[in-house]
Amino acid sequence: MPLSEYEQRVLEQMERALTSDDPRLANALQSSGRRPVVRYVVAAIGLAGGLLLLVLGAAQSHVVLGVIGFAVMFAAVAWAFAFAPRSKAKGPQGAVRADGSVGARPASKPAKGRSGFMSRLEARWDRRREQGL
């Protein structure tokens, strides 16, 4: 059943509000987040092969064979998860203004003497207070 015009407008407003409030979350929700199944199958085969080498190396007291097996297992898992291709972000980037236009995020001033998580939270709090949210 299709949405009514009112429901579509409300949904678009919610989407703009989410994008302006937390652009990274909005981009993460818009992306499919699925990695190719083939990548996982190849990684599972590499993991099984590395495990086989590791067990054979341990059973025959060949340390080098065990180390190679462990390296193959580690490489297979790293390839499956860490080196997966990243999709390009879709949709608007930056903050969405009240009129619906998209603009760059305003530069925030980091707190003096602080860096990292707390300064980002403080900068975000300041931006929200300036916007009147």
Side-chain angles (χ1 to χ4, degrees):
M1 183 169 94
L3 298 175
S4 68
E5 289 181 28
Y6 172 75
E7 291 170 333
Q8 288 176 351
R9 277 196 314 261
V10 169
L11 186 61
E12 288 171 1
Q13 288 174 352
M14 289 170 48
E15 187 176 330
R16 282 193 299 258
L18 173 65
T19 304
S20 69
D21 189 38
D22 197 349
R24 281 195 286 174
L25 175 63
N27 287 336
L29 291 175
Q30 287 176 352
S31 67
S32 65
R34 293 188 63 212
R35 293 190 175 103
V37 175
V38 175
R39 180 175 288 273
Y40 291 130
V41 170
V42 171
I45 291 170
L47 186 67
L51 183 61
L52 180 67
L53 288 174
L54 181 67
V55 170
L56 284 175
Q60 296 179 357
S61 299
H62 287 104
V63 176
V64 175
L65 191 60
V67 170
I68 290 172
F70 179 78
V72 168
M73 288 177 12
F74 182 78
V77 172
W79 182 70
F81 294 109
F83 303 121
R86 305 219 185 254
S87 62
K88 293 183 180 179
K90 299 174 186 172
Q93 298 293 315
V96 177
R97 297 187 187 98
D99 63 357
S101 62
V102 179
R105 288 180 97 175
S108 61
K109 300 178 223 172
K112 291 183 180 181
R114 288 190 178 174
S115 63
F117 179 71
M118 288 304 291
S119 65
R120 287 193 312 263
L121 281 179
E122 289 176 3
R124 205 164 155 193
W125 175 259
D126 292 338
R127 278 195 314 269
R128 286 184 181 172
R129 288 192 59 177
E130 290 171 0
Q131 293 175 354
L133 294 177

